[in-house]
Amino acid sequence: MERVGKCGWQYGAPRFSSPFGRFGATLPGGGWYKAIMNPTYRLYYAPDNASLIVRLVLEEMALHYDTCLVDRSVGAQGSAAYLALNPAGHIPTLITPDGPVSETAAILLWLADRHGQMAPSVNAPGRGVFLKWLFFASNTLQVGLRLNFYPEKYVGAEANHQAALRAQMQTVLPTHLTLLEQLANEGHDWFGSVEPSVLDYHIACCLRWSALYPDTGPGWFQLSDYPNLAALALQLEQRPAVATAQLAEGLGPTPFTAPQLCTPPEGSAF
């Protein structure tokens, strides 16, 4: 099978002095080398795409993984090699010991359940409510953002049709964010709490993209209109996982609270 793109090991946040990041001098018998040569996961990604959410969660969970760039600038997401892994051609795809997993919310839930981190457990009282909001983020908020960012994919090349769709979505999306603003004020331990959940990172990335796209003049979104979500975003920016992602994807110093367009060391966001 042809290669999709450039692949390489991710060392993670520099939590130790070793040049091998979190694994240096912590695993006996050359453990860092074994980890590098045998990562548990491979993330097929493009900079500042939905794969960013998965990267952040892999980092937060301190999991062994490497990455493989899906170069959107040459349409690699539609290549035969990538479609063999993810027939829908969506980014991301996570290669796991059980095979490829795609769709962002599915990957997040799979990781949370497999590793017992960053989400209520299957039998926890809050599990159902958490799942509702995780899939709201994926199926409602993120889909709405895509309609706003890429109207030509849904209504064609007519500029007036695109403008109408954007105007409609920019009316609807604030209602979605208001629901999440209220949720962040309810004191759940799986949203806006001291320890981040997969939902926290999903929403933080959506806040980032809301501020950046589309670049069509005065923005429809102001983070200051949602103080609880702003506090969540600020808190996450202090995490080592975010520092690692900033470097890996060129996100800038304040990727959630005052985002700027990414300047990645490889690949393209579009």
Side-chain angles (χ1 to χ4, degrees):
M1 184 173 66
E2 65 179 305
R3 189 174 181 179
V4 174
K6 181 181 177 182
C7 303
W9 177 247
Q10 302 300 294
Y11 299 137
R15 301 177 191 178
F16 302 96
S17 60
S18 164
F20 302 107
R22 70 163 62 99
F23 305 109
T26 63
L27 302 178
W32 66 263
Y33 177 81
K34 295 175 185 177
I36 290 172
M37 297 306 294
N38 297 286
T40 306
Y41 300 112
R42 168 163 287 178
L43 176 63
Y44 283 82
Y45 90 105
D48 209 12
N49 279 231
S51 50
L52 172 61
I53 307 168
V54 180
R55 182 195 289 273
L56 288 162
V57 167
L58 289 166
E59 286 289 334
E60 190 69 50
M61 291 185 178
L63 299 175
H64 303 180
Y65 74 103
D66 69 6
T67 60
C68 192
L69 175 68
V70 182
D71 191 346
R72 292 192 62 179
S73 69
V74 296
Q77 68 272 28
S79 68
Y82 190 67
L83 293 175
L85 300 174
N86 184 338
H90 295 162
I91 301 169
T93 298
L94 185 70
I95 306 302
T96 80
D98 295 345
V101 180
S102 56
E103 299 301 325
T104 303
I107 296 171
L108 298 179
L109 188 57
W110 190 94
L111 287 170
D113 288 350
R114 176 60 62 97
H115 295 283
Q117 299 184 57
M118 300 184 68
S121 64
V122 172
N123 296 318
R127 172 75 170 195
V129 178
F130 166 80
L131 290 178
K132 177 182 76 173
W133 289 108
L134 178 63
F135 284 91
F136 175 85
S138 181
N139 296 350
T140 302
L141 177 61
Q142 191 173 348
V143 169
L145 291 173
R146 281 188 58 82
L147 291 166
N148 187 33
F149 302 161
Y150 308 113
E152 71 280 1
K153 293 180 181 291
Y154 303 95
V155 296
E158 290 288 337
N160 59 327
H161 294 168
Q162 294 178 22
L165 179 56
R166 275 200 170 125
Q168 176 63 20
M169 295 317 303
Q170 291 176 12
T171 299
V172 171
L173 284 164
T175 67
H176 300 337
L177 292 169
T178 297
L179 292 175
L180 291 163
E181 170 72 6
Q182 294 166 354
L183 181 70
N185 194 44
E186 292 177 3
H188 299 287
D189 59 5
W190 41 260
F191 191 55
S193 189
V194 174
E195 293 298 320
S197 71
V198 297
L199 179 60
D200 287 311
Y201 277 119
H202 200 321
I203 297 304
C205 289
C206 287
L207 296 174
R208 169 182 171 79
W209 300 325
S210 296
L212 288 175
Y213 309 113
D215 186 14
T216 55
W220 63 273
F221 168 83
Q222 297 293 328
L223 183 59
S224 58
D225 293 339
Y226 310 96
N228 293 312
L229 295 180
L232 178 154
L234 180 61
Q235 180 171 275
L236 289 179
E237 282 183 348
Q238 316 310 310
R239 307 289 298 185
V242 176
T244 301
Q246 285 173 282
L247 293 175
E249 302 197 16
L251 302 179
T254 51
F256 304 136
T257 59
Q260 54 191 257
L261 294 174
C262 70
T263 55
E266 63 174 10
S268 169
F270 303 103

